[in-house]
Amino acid sequence: MLITLKKLAVALAAVSACAAVAPAHAQEIKSRIIRFGYGLNEESVQGRAARYLAEQVGKLSGGKMKMRTFGSANLGSDEQMQSALVGGSQEMMVGSTAPLATMVKEFGVFDLPFLFNDEKEADAVLDGPFGEKLLKMLESKGLVGLVYWENGFRNVTNSKHPIAKAEDLQGVKLRVMQNQIALGVFGALGANAVPMPFSELFTALETRTVDGQENPVTTIQSSKFYEVQPYLSLTRHVYTPWVVLASKKWWDTLSPDEQKVIREAAASSRDFERKDSRADSTKAMETLKEAGMKINTVSPEELQRLRAKAQPVVDKYTQDLGPELVKQLQEEINKVRKG
Ligand code: KDG
């Protein structure tokens, strides 16, 4: 059946009218490629959350904003990626708060030992006024802090002996994250603390360049540290958050609708990642037992002795970080604790 020219003209007019009234925001989302870097491997909690975030960005932008995820520090260490975001040569990343402390010293507060008792306290503080306040401090440094993911409660592994008493750390060559507080705390506990990027850690353990390290069980499992570390001692001495970051140089080029897509996707990824991290912790413990790691739980009495040994360093860095800041953190924790 021939379509008359008149009917075709009417149809075209209708289509162009629809295009003209399409929601304005649909036109303010451009086609973009977003490079998202992270340090653990693709099988890790970080890898799964990165892929989830990428899916959400794609869905919320109608497929226009495409996030490419790069694991295993393929875009660099946390520190190197932070610099790339500040320079604008990379759009997004996730990394630990410890290296961030070299740019905004207040993030070092999360390296103070024995702060949080459980994940409920950590979530409440990180997602509340205290966590928001620290994220805001990143903007003047060229970074946009979006949300916190869970790295988790850290435990000690090593190749020499179980850490059952405070004295057992004496002389253990222990890799720590690259900031002064982590270095100071483990120095005070008697270890020979060695700062090192995460990407170099497995080889350092394998070659006995260092005797041990400290990380959440999810990382110990996904990075296969059990292959080179016979002993796991459960201390839960620090809860480390990860921060999902964007380059401010890049962020400022986004329309309000594009920024809204990223913020909504990031918030959804936070909830996904924390749920996955906690489920993975249980599975990781089983894997580590099956892999033959000798696992011990450090007693509350010995944890208290470790806490006392670290106290002078905690006092020193509380002054450095700002007593008011540490006081506010403690008050936020106590609010949750008192429920
Ligand atoms: O890039 C990996 C790091 O983000 C993270 O695993 C940090 O816990 C960390 C460590 O020990 O370096």
Side-chain angles (χ1 to χ4, degrees):
M1 179 184 80
L2 281 179
I3 296 177
T4 64
L5 280 177
K6 188 174 178 245
K7 279 186 180 173
L8 186 58
V10 168
L12 283 173
V15 168
S16 56
C18 289
V21 296
H25 71 269
Q27 291 147 3
E28 289 184 28
I29 297 180
K30 299 193 186 81
S31 296
R32 293 179 181 272
I33 298 289
I34 303 166
R35 288 158 296 182
F36 182 94
Y38 61 96
L40 298 189
N41 60 42
E42 292 181 4
E43 295 71 46
S44 66
V45 172
Q46 234 180 28
R48 290 192 293 273
R51 288 190 294 277
Y52 179 89
L53 175 60
E55 280 164 23
Q56 293 305 305
V57 168
K59 271 185 201 155
L60 292 169
S61 67
K64 287 196 171 178
M65 299 171 85
K66 293 177 173 49
M67 180 179 280
R68 302 276 183 263
T69 60
F70 299 86
S72 304
N74 279 323
L75 295 185
S77 66
D78 288 10
E79 298 77 7
Q80 288 165 334
M81 290 195 286
Q82 283 168 202
S83 300
L85 262 61
V86 170
S89 60
Q90 180 181 329
E91 292 77 26
M92 292 182 71
M93 68 169 282
V94 64
S96 254
T97 50
L100 266 183
T102 58
M103 295 177 72
V104 175
K105 70 170 184 175
E106 287 81 0
F107 276 95
V109 71
F110 296 118
D111 292 298
L112 294 175
F114 306 113
L115 280 178
F116 298 112
N117 283 344
D118 55 37
E119 289 84 354
K120 181 177 172 233
E121 291 178 4
D123 292 356
V125 169
L126 291 168
D127 297 346
F130 186 84
E132 278 307 313
K133 175 179 167 176
L134 263 59
L135 292 180
K136 270 275 171 247
M137 291 178 182
L138 290 166
E139 292 191 11
S140 64
K141 304 293 182 183
L143 295 172
V144 177
L146 292 161
V147 292
Y148 295 93
W149 286 356
E150 173 167 281
N151 188 352
F153 281 99
R154 307 177 77 90
N155 301 290
V156 179
T157 68
N158 82 96
S159 54
K160 295 184 80 162
H161 49 242
I163 306 298
K165 301 188 308 303
E167 291 76 12
D168 293 337
L169 271 171
Q170 194 65 39
V172 173
K173 206 169 181 184
L174 196 80
R175 177 271 177 180
V176 297
M177 289 193 283
Q178 294 165 285
N179 84 21
Q180 289 307 310
I181 299 178
L183 194 59
V185 166
F186 279 97
L189 296 178
N192 175 0
V194 180
M196 180 186 296
F198 184 83
S199 47
E200 298 170 13
L201 180 50
F202 186 91
T203 303
L205 294 169
E206 190 176 36
T207 57
R208 295 290 189 272
T209 304
V210 292
D211 301 319
Q213 63 85 45
E214 41 87 54
N215 249 293
V217 292
T218 48
T219 298
I220 296 166
Q221 185 270 322
S222 63
S223 297
K224 296 186 168 46
F225 290 161
Y226 54 82
E227 292 179 352
V228 290
Q229 294 278 269
Y231 303 105
L232 166 59
S233 302
L234 301 178
T235 52
R236 289 167 63 93
H237 55 276
V238 158
Y239 177 93
T240 306
W242 280 318
V243 185
V244 176
L245 298 163
S247 159
K248 192 167 187 319
K249 267 188 186 168
W250 170 73
W251 182 262
D252 291 346
T253 68
L254 302 184
S255 69
D257 287 305
E258 291 173 321
Q259 291 180 354
K260 185 167 179 282
V261 164
I262 300 294
R263 285 198 183 281
E264 286 182 5
S268 176
S269 74
R270 171 198 57 208
D271 301 341
F272 169 88
E273 194 273 343
R274 286 172 177 170
K275 193 166 172 228
D276 182 48
S277 171
R278 288 152 201 180
D280 198 49
S281 286
T282 306
K283 281 184 274 180
M285 281 301 290
E286 288 312 308
T287 305
L288 299 178
K289 282 175 192 155
E290 285 158 13
M293 286 196 92
K294 298 174 185 63
I295 302 174
N296 71 291
T297 300
V298 181
S299 71
E301 295 74 20
E302 286 304 319
L303 288 178
Q304 192 48 44
R305 293 184 64 229
L306 286 170
R307 190 190 285 253
K309 282 184 86 172
Q311 196 55 48
V313 171
V314 170
D315 295 343
K316 170 186 182 326
Y317 284 109
T318 295
Q319 292 308 312
D320 286 5
L321 291 165
E324 278 312 303
L325 180 86
V326 177
K327 181 168 173 275
Q328 182 193 355
L329 173 55
Q330 205 54 58
E331 285 169 353
E332 294 293 322
I333 293 172
N334 291 338
K335 271 185 214 164
V336 186
R337 207 165 276 173
K338 290 182 180 125

